[in-house]
Amino acid sequence: MTTLLHRLLLIVTFTMSGLLGPSVLAGDKPAILVYSSGVDGILADDLDAGLRQAVLALEENGLFLGNPGEANEVGVNLFFKILMSRMHLQVDFGPVPGAPQGSPPVSGQLTVHGNSGASVEQLLKAYRHLATLNKDFGKPVPDHPGLYQLNVQKSGPPVYAGEWQVDGKPAFMVSANRLPKEEEPDFSGFGLPPEATVNLGLQLNFSSLGPLLDMAMAMDPQAAQGTAILEVLGLTGPDAMDLSIACGSTRDGSVVIGGHLTNFMKHYGGLIPAQGLAQEDLRTLPKDASAFDIQKFNLRGIPAFIDNLIVRATPPDQLPMGPDGKPVSPMDMGMQMARMLLGIDLKTQFFDYLGDTVAIYRADSTGGGGLFSLTGLVKLDNPEGMQQSLATIAANLDGQLSRLSMFGSQNHVRFVDWSSDSGLQMITIAFPEFPVPVQLTCAVVGSYLVLGMAPESVMSAARHMGSGVSILDNATFKSSKAFSSDHIQRMQYMDTGARLSDGYGLTAGIMTALGNYARPRKNAPDRIDSVMPGYDQMAESVRPAVLLQVIDGDTLSFKGSGHRSVVSHMTAFMGELTSSPFITTAIIGGVAGLIVPAIVNAREAAQAAEASANLRRLYMAVVQYSVAHNGHLPKDLKSLPQPGGYPEDLIHRAAYYPDTRKLDDIPNPHERMLLSQHIGNNKVIIAFAEGHIRTVSDREWQLLVDAQDHNHDHDHDHDHHDHP
């Protein structure tokens, strides 16, 4: 029986060999480099000593798996020891010297140096044992004692595993498509300070990964469009980005983060303001914020960025054309459709009102400090205009939802524009008679748009913004020394100590369970060592975590610091989970209540989804025709250009309701049917003039037809009302 480890060793190589071909070229750097210092380096803090001992005990005693068979048990335990060891994985693309003819131009190597609980000799002994239990683990390689070749009788590139010397010392190796290399890779590119010791690191060289992405795109019939999108995003092309990020430790007990993303500004510079974050930007955050994420971002540039992405990915002959014969901006067409639904021009009456600062935070005062207290802030250039736009959007959406009630809508969603006792004008999405544990709310406060999970959090945020006290007055935040002279584009902060008390009990339970599982089953230990450190030990040494993104020329650099203890961060994370039990309970209950009917109706839902998608594509073709003909609708579906991106027989299956008026001139477009299709089981899918798609019963469809006939549409052609 092939073991789990065998599958893990071979699957990556065989997958690559299926994707890559001889035309792939190599990059100058490793395409992928991953490093881990293992359990000894990652869990080196005194607070993690108990967890480290438990992990080493698991290595020594083995994972209890029931009775899976000796080969599987040996393989799984060997794999666990490898994961806990100091190791690195390197993948290279390009011609491989000495590789068999026909092998793909890709090679990879996993080098494992073991740890204090599992030496290289122990790893090799376990592997040799595995090789005697399973013949698929290969045969010895001549002239290389301790090295085995896997998949000897199988197609695909050769895979080697076993012993190899690195700097005169033995290491456990797994190498694909070539014999292992002796040298260690260069870890200096991870971007950590010189005095830091690397614990975890990742490098992705997209220039070297480009051939793989190109080959993957070549398998798609729309490969050219996909390649264009990847180039715009900086993943391929001459200016492809390189990503490096790592965390390490220093002698003072800190964990530091470093790294960079090269050529970032070449691709995303239009979305990054010229000025970085200043202390003044943080004055809107409350003093008791336990975590926040604030950044400088050109929100007004989003439509242009998306428009460029769509245009680059769409062949010129498939772009919508205007009356002058020139291509129409896809985003402009989308904004036109949204205007019929929302009542505003999203470009000029929403995006143009936005500023360049975005923040999200959690605080005790806005909901207990956990997930339920999430509050968002968006800087505005035109607060008055945004207030009017939001009111218009809410009125339009709520009006449409109210009118849908005559066709069976339960009105479980409403948009409420209201004023608090303090005079704060807010818009809330409410869920009448439905136990949804949130009421999404927004309000314009000064020059900011404030968003919260409930009206109370928005009102609390408004009070803090006018109090004159902020996170800049928080002693813990001051101790992080986050600000510098750098161009800080983004700052992420978490007060780890603020969540320790909430998460300590749950984390202690998990650690106790791990300690029991790690102890040997046959011989009781002479003493019981605690896996979880005492709360007072954690509280007195914990420090906040900070991560900065800094603009340096065209490069985005990462800089961060925090406490070295993994258990401390785990406890803080558990504190986040336990601080919002109502949300967790609601999600679990909702999933349990929905899963049975979802399974029962899966097939019907899939058929309806496919039909809806086809009808939406047909609707888009009608809208494109309208844009190209000064707003006029086609007389019939046969007038649409072919091909239209929809199934050819759809125009014969769909019913079309023409109108002599321009699309923008149709009153109440959310009630005016434009297209429909019968899908069986007495159901009809309808595309309305303003763009939304709805599935109704045959009776509801007939009511809509009758209402349409009585709304001064009797002079239009209704020959297509009957479904074929």
Side-chain angles (χ1 to χ4, degrees):
M1 181 174 59
T2 303
T3 66
L4 174 62
L5 179 60
H6 187 228
R7 298 188 190 102
L8 292 170
L9 294 178
L10 295 181
I11 189 170
V12 174
T13 303
F14 291 151
T15 301
M16 288 180 176
S17 66
L19 289 177
L20 299 181
S23 61
V24 179
L25 301 177
D28 295 332
K29 302 177 182 178
I32 302 173
L33 178 61
V34 182
Y35 173 77
S36 170
S37 63
V39 63
D40 295 328
I42 298 173
L43 300 178
D45 190 79
D46 291 342
L47 294 176
D48 298 332
L51 178 58
R52 184 173 64 254
Q53 290 175 3
V55 172
L56 296 178
L58 282 176
E59 287 189 328
E60 180 181 358
N61 301 321
L63 301 175
F64 180 66
L65 304 173
N67 188 24
E70 185 178 6
N72 277 311
E73 186 168 354
V74 172
V76 169
N77 279 283
L78 174 59
F79 185 64
F80 177 69
K81 292 176 181 178
I82 290 173
L83 289 179
M84 296 299 104
S85 296
R86 180 170 69 89
M87 63 176 180
H88 71 266
L89 170 68
Q90 181 172 331
V91 179
D92 300 283
F93 292 105
V96 183
Q101 186 175 3
S103 295
V106 58
S107 60
Q109 179 172 307
L110 175 67
T111 305
V112 186
H113 298 281
N115 58 56
S116 58
S119 65
V120 172
E121 288 75 14
Q122 290 174 313
L123 295 176
L124 293 171
K125 180 179 179 181
Y127 183 78
R128 287 191 292 268
H129 183 198
L130 195 60
T132 62
L133 295 172
N134 193 323
K135 63 180 181 179
D136 288 336
F137 269 81
K139 297 182 178 180
V141 178
D143 302 325
H144 297 287
L147 191 67
Y148 293 78
Q149 181 179 350
L150 285 68
N151 68 309
V152 176
Q153 304 297 330
K154 298 180 180 180
S155 61
V159 179
Y160 304 95
E163 181 179 355
W164 199 264
Q165 296 290 315
V166 177
D167 294 334
K169 297 180 180 179
F172 179 77
M173 291 283 192
V174 179
S175 182
N177 210 21
R178 60 167 170 77
L179 289 171
K181 294 181 179 179
E182 295 187 11
E183 70 272 11
E184 290 273 10
D186 181 13
F187 298 133
S188 63
F190 282 133
L192 289 174
E195 68 276 9
T197 300
V198 182
N199 289 332
L200 290 170
L202 169 67
Q203 288 183 2
L204 293 177
N205 186 298
F206 289 106
S207 299
S208 297
L209 281 171
L212 175 61
L213 297 174
D214 290 341
M215 292 298 296
M217 286 292 103
M219 301 172 64
D220 191 320
Q222 297 181 340
Q225 295 93 314
T227 301
I229 291 177
L230 293 178
E231 187 168 341
V232 172
L233 296 177
L235 302 182
T236 60
D239 293 323
M241 300 182 295
D242 290 342
L243 171 66
S244 294
I245 188 165
C247 66
S249 54
T250 57
R251 292 183 177 180
D252 66 354
S254 298
V255 62
V256 291
I257 296 174
H260 59 260
L261 191 59
T262 63
N263 291 331
F264 175 80
M265 293 297 286
K266 291 183 179 179
H267 302 283
Y268 300 96
L271 298 176
I272 307 301
Q275 300 298 320
L277 286 169
Q279 294 197 27
E280 189 65 28
D281 296 313
L282 272 69
R283 295 196 181 279
T284 54
L285 305 178
K287 181 180 179 180
D288 64 341
S290 58
F292 67 78
D293 183 345
I294 184 169
Q295 62 179 305
K296 285 290 186 178
F297 193 82
N298 178 20
L299 296 167
R300 293 182 301 277
I302 294 176
F305 183 84
I306 297 176
D307 205 48
N308 178 49
L309 203 63
I310 296 174
V311 171
R312 291 284 298 272
T314 306
D317 60 343
Q318 294 184 18
L319 289 171
M321 307 298 290
D324 57 358
K326 296 181 179 180
V328 177
S329 163
M331 283 302 295
D332 286 347
M333 187 175 71
M335 298 293 183
Q336 179 182 352
M337 294 173 57
R339 183 168 189 168
M340 292 185 290
L341 177 66
L342 304 177
I344 66 168
D345 186 316
L346 279 177
K347 175 66 172 63
T348 60
Q349 294 176 286
F350 186 84
F351 281 101
D352 284 353
Y353 294 165
L354 300 175
D356 61 5
T357 307
V358 183
I360 185 170
Y361 68 82
R362 301 188 304 271
D364 289 341
S365 57
T366 54
L371 298 178
F372 199 80
S373 68
L374 281 175
T375 304
L377 304 174
V378 180
K379 186 71 179 293
L380 300 174
D381 283 347
N382 187 340
E384 295 79 10
M386 179 59 74
Q387 180 73 64
Q388 181 60 46
S389 292
L390 292 174
T392 301
I393 291 173
N396 274 268
L397 293 178
D398 193 64
Q400 293 180 34
L401 290 171
S402 298
R403 285 187 286 272
L404 288 176
S405 62
M406 65 177 289
F407 303 114
S409 170
Q410 299 299 313
N411 268 352
H412 283 315
V413 181
R414 298 297 304 271
F415 290 78
V416 184
D417 188 351
W418 61 291
S419 178
S420 68
D421 293 339
S422 62
L424 181 64
Q425 194 70 23
M426 295 185 290
I427 295 172
T428 297
I429 302 177
F431 303 89
E433 299 182 1
F434 201 72
V436 176
V438 296
Q439 288 184 331
L440 301 176
T441 302
C442 67
V444 175
V445 180
S447 60
Y448 280 85
L449 174 64
V450 182
L451 305 99
M453 307 285 278
E456 296 78 15
S457 61
V458 173
M459 289 186 281
S460 176
R463 287 193 296 270
H464 279 293
M465 292 173 70
S467 68
V469 179
S470 70
I471 191 67
L472 296 176
D473 303 298
N474 183 300
T476 304
F477 175 72
K478 289 181 180 179
S479 69
S480 68
K481 300 179 181 179
F483 272 103
S484 64
S485 59
D486 297 321
H487 180 162
I488 301 175
Q489 184 266 329
R490 184 177 185 181
M491 178 185 297
Q492 295 169 281
Y493 167 85
M494 183 175 74
D495 184 353
T496 309
R499 296 266 70 85
L500 286 181
S501 59
D502 291 330
Y504 186 83
L506 180 57
T507 308
I510 295 173
M511 292 297 155
T512 300
L514 178 62
N516 284 324
Y517 182 73
R519 292 186 176 94
R521 295 177 292 281
K522 295 181 179 179
N523 300 317
D526 295 333
R527 56 171 292 176
I528 301 295
D529 293 324
S530 175
V531 178
M532 186 73 178
Y535 178 80
D536 55 343
Q537 294 176 282
M538 298 177 65
E540 69 183 10
S541 60
V542 75
R543 64 188 67 182
V546 178
L547 177 62
L548 305 179
Q549 293 182 187
V550 177
I551 302 297
D552 183 10
D554 284 333
T555 299
L556 180 69
S557 298
F558 307 105
K559 300 179 180 180
S561 64
H563 197 276
R564 189 177 182 179
S565 169
V566 173
V567 175
S568 293
H569 290 287
M570 186 185 301
T571 304
F573 175 74
M574 292 300 174
E576 293 292 340
L577 296 181
T578 58
S579 61
S580 300
F582 186 44
I583 291 182
T584 305
T585 302
I587 292 174
I588 294 174
V591 170
L594 291 174
I595 190 169
V596 173
I599 294 175
V600 172
N601 297 320
R603 178 176 298 180
E604 181 181 339
Q607 293 173 345
E610 181 181 4
S612 296
N614 289 335
L615 200 65
R616 184 177 298 279
R617 286 195 288 268
L618 185 58
Y619 170 80
M620 291 300 300
V622 173
V623 172
Q624 290 181 17
Y625 179 97
S626 173
V627 172
H629 293 81
N630 196 28
H632 292 291
L633 295 168
K635 292 186 297 182
D636 52 50
L637 297 182
K638 295 180 181 179
S639 303
L640 297 176
Q642 297 290 334
Y646 45 84
E648 294 182 4
D649 64 337
L650 182 58
I651 61 174
H652 303 294
R653 290 185 280 117
Y656 175 54
Y657 309 90
D659 200 307
T660 57
R661 293 167 293 193
K662 293 183 178 181
L663 188 58
D664 285 346
D665 295 337
I666 296 177
N668 300 322
H670 59 280
E671 298 176 353
R672 175 61 165 84
M673 289 192 299
L674 202 60
L675 297 159
S676 68
Q677 181 189 348
H678 189 78
I679 60 172
N681 199 23
N682 296 319
K683 297 291 185 181
V684 182
I685 298 177
I686 300 173
F688 291 85
E690 107 300 349
H692 86 276
I693 307 291
R694 186 154 58 95
T695 302
V696 301
S697 66
D698 273 336
R699 175 176 172 77
E700 291 173 303
W701 168 75
Q702 189 59 55
L703 289 174
L704 283 167
V705 171
D706 295 341
Q708 202 153 287
D709 287 340
H710 287 293
N711 285 334
H712 309 289
D713 283 341
H714 56 274
D715 56 332
H716 294 163
D717 182 7
H718 291 294
D719 293 339
H720 295 283
H721 281 179
D722 294 329
H723 286 286

